[in-house]
């Protein structure tokens, strides 16, 4: 067995909560660090509630754990520098740097030979006008940092285009036939284990549903897995990673990378012997990766905002697994839980 007994997790949302539960099944314990409300705190060994600027709290957190991971990639660099001087951070800094910033991310992907939407750096209004002239309309203006669930994005249509004031990238609009994602785990020894790609449907910029199998030809799904493995290797990634891809007539285009467990991988809880949360814990704890082969067809649906009212009815449905995150208040667009339906 590995020497690791206690795992520190930066971020205390639902991903941290499910990571903590998976760690506990392996006899490990988790210490959550979260500045705000922490659904993960309910199921973890310890919770620290402090800002990422609190050096004393960061130090005490690091000293109480054997290794540090994260469920949230937008942790400030200063906090990461301090933590890394005390304990290893897995996945490593390169995975974080690349996925924290859409400009760095797309540049990296192109450098390793992978296709992305056409993009341009947009630091100001002048750059936006030039970028639109080059990339065309429709296009999407996205903040370089801190975007999630479609936040920080503006669609550029036919009207006047105004820069948002935040350092951004302009992306050409991709006319995709489908969105898929690959969840891949990579161990410290470089071994990888990828889950079958899932088909994702977004509504209002938020993931609504993931269906597995995705129904695409094997040559496409194989390509998707190879792309994910290439990214994980290039970053020397240790842990789970989610890679979102657009399917187009010209082939696969990488949308973005998440250096962590991913919403579109929640189906693995019902579809695989070892789910993405356990796989991540195994990788960061230095344990061998588990069996991620799929033994069932699954549809994962997010419970967003008022969907929470459907829970009593869902509880009565057969072949249905319900995961609730313990969040006190349902707000529009807030992920409250998810449902995994075994469909075959
Ligand atoms: P999430 O947290 O859900 O991953 P995000 O805020 O990081 O979202 P993106 O993944 O970049 O944002 O975009 C959200 C969704 O918007 C995509 O899944 C896709 O449906 C749509 N989208 C984003 N970029 C493009 C594009 N260039 N062309 C067409 N559609 C796009
Ligand atoms: Mg996305």
């Amino acid at each position: 067995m590995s020497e690791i007994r206690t795992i520190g997790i930066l971020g205390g949302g639902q991903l941290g909560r499910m990571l903590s539960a998976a760690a506990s099944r392996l006899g490990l314990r988790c210490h959550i660090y979260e500045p705000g409300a922490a659904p993960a705190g309910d199921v973890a060994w310890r919770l620290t509630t402090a800002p990422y600027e609190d050096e004393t709290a960061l130090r005490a957190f690091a000293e109480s754990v054997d290794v540090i991971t994260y469920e949230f990639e937008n942790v400030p660099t200063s906090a990461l520098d301090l933590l890394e001087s005390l304990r290893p951070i897995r996945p490593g800094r390169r995975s974080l740097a690349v996925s924290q910033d859409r400009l760095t991310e797309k540049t990296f992907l192109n450098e390793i030979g992978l296709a992305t939407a056409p993009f341009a750096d947009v630091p100001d209004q002048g750059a936006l006008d030039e970028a639109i002239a080059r990339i065309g309309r429709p296009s999407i203006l996205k903040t370089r940092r801190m975007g999630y669930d479609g936040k920080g994005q503006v669609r550029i249509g036919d009207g006047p285009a105004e820069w948002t004031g935040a350092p951004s990238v302009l992306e050409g609009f991709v006319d995709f036939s489908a969105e898929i994602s690959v969840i891949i785990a990579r161990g410290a020894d470089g071994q990888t284990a990828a889950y079958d790609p899932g088909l994702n449907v977004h509504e209002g910029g938020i993931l609504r549903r993931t269906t597995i199998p995705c129904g695409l030809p094997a040559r496409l799904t194989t390509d998707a897995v190879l792309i994910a493995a290439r990214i994980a290797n290039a970053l020397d990634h240790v842990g789970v990673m989610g890679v979102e891809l657009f399917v187009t007539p010209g082939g696969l285009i990488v949308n973005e990378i998440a250096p962590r467990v991913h919403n579109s991988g929640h189906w693995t809880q019902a579809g695989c012997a070892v789910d993405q949360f356990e796989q991540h814990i195994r990788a960061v704890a230095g344990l061998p990766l588990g069996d991620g082969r799929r033994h069932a067809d699954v549809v994962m649906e997010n419970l967003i905002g008022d969907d929470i009212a459907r829970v009593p009815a869902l509880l009565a449905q057969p072949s249905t697994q319900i995961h609730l995150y313990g969040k006190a208040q349902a707000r529009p667009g807030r992920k409250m839980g998810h449902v995994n339906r075994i469909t075959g």
Side-chain angles (χ1 to χ4, degrees), residues 13-20 71 260-263 266 277:
Q14 62 267 19
L15 301 179
R17 181 177 170 107
M18 292 184 276
L19 284 168
S20 298
E71 57 120 55
R260 52 166 167 80
V261 287
H262 195 256
N263 193 169
H266 292 358
F277 301 99

Side-chain angles (χ1 to χ4, degrees), residues 102 149 153 179 202 244 255-256 262:
R102 292 187 197 275
D149 289 347
Q153 300 194 13
E179 287 192 76
H202 292 79
E244 301 176 9
N255 174 30
E256 60 172 355
H262 195 256

Side-chain angles (χ1 to χ4, degrees), residues 102 117 140 142 147-151 153 171-176 179 202 205-207 244 246 255-256 260 262 335:
R102 292 187 197 275
I140 306 183
K142 300 183 180 180
Y148 71 100
D149 289 347
K151 291 184 173 63
Q153 300 194 13
E171 266 184 49
F173 193 83
V174 178
D175 194 14
F176 55 77
E179 287 192 76
H202 292 79
I206 305 178
L207 182 67
E244 301 176 9
F246 297 135
N255 174 30
E256 60 172 355
R260 52 166 167 80
H262 195 256
K335 290 173 181 167

Side-chain angles (χ1 to χ4, degrees), residues 69-340:
T69 188
Y70 44 89
E71 57 120 55
F72 169 74
E73 56 272 36
N74 293 313
V75 176
T77 304
S78 56
L80 294 168
D81 288 342
L82 172 59
L83 293 170
E84 199 178 25
S85 71
L86 299 166
R87 292 293 183 274
I89 298 180
R90 296 181 187 147
R93 295 296 292 278
R94 181 128 170 79
S95 296
L96 271 165
V98 160
S99 53
Q100 273 182 343
D101 181 331
R102 292 187 197 275
L103 183 63
T104 314
E105 179 176 55
K106 289 193 160 49
T107 306
F108 157 76
L109 290 166
N110 288 175
E111 273 168 12
I112 63 166
L114 300 176
T116 60
F119 67 96
D121 183 12
V122 178
D124 53 36
Q125 182 69 47
L128 176 59
D129 297 336
E130 280 169 36
I132 293 172
R134 180 162 73 78
I135 290 171
R137 300 166 187 253
S139 42
I140 306 183
L141 187 63
K142 300 183 180 180
T143 56
R144 283 177 60 174
R145 291 175 170 271
M146 297 297 271
Y148 71 100
D149 289 347
K151 291 184 173 63
Q153 300 194 13
V154 182
R155 171 100 180 242
I156 309 284
D158 291 332
E162 218 173 298
W163 182 57
T164 52
S168 301
V169 291
L170 185 76
E171 266 184 49
F173 193 83
V174 178
D175 194 14
F176 55 77
S177 57
E179 287 192 76
I180 60 173
S181 55
V182 178
I183 310 301
I184 190 166
R186 187 171 178 280
D189 60 358
Q191 260 200 62
T192 59
Y195 292 100
D196 281 356
L199 177 74
N200 300 324
V201 173
H202 292 79
E203 282 171 16
I206 305 178
L207 182 67
R208 178 81 240 175
R209 197 176 306 107
T210 298
T211 302
I212 193 93
C214 67
L216 293 169
R219 58 163 296 125
L220 270 180
T221 54
T222 302
D223 253 352
V225 169
L226 291 172
I227 287 171
R230 186 134 149 212
I231 296 170
N233 266 343
L235 294 172
D236 200 15
H237 189 82
V238 177
V240 163
M241 159 181 289
V243 179
E244 301 176 9
L245 304 127
F246 297 135
V247 181
T248 76
L252 294 170
I253 289 180
V254 183
N255 174 30
E256 60 172 355
I257 311 168
R260 52 166 167 80
V261 287
H262 195 256
N263 193 169
S264 68
H266 292 358
W267 67 269
T268 59
Q269 293 169 316
C272 305
V274 174
D275 68 27
Q276 64 163 349
F277 301 99
E278 179 173 338
Q279 207 72 303
H280 185 78
I281 294 294
R282 286 180 181 229
V284 304
L287 298 169
L289 298 180
D291 179 3
R293 280 175 302 178
R294 188 170 61 82
H295 57 66
D297 298 351
V298 183
V299 177
M300 187 288 306
E301 193 193 352
N302 274 331
L303 298 174
I304 301 169
D306 290 342
D307 288 342
I308 194 79
R310 290 168 43 208
V311 167
L314 289 167
L315 284 167
Q317 291 187 1
S319 304
T320 299
Q321 206 181 55
I322 299 181
H323 297 260
L324 299 176
Y325 307 150
K327 296 182 184 176
Q329 280 196 330
R331 284 194 299 269
R334 190 171 203 210
K335 290 173 181 167
M336 303 302 292
H338 67 272
V339 183
N340 287 323

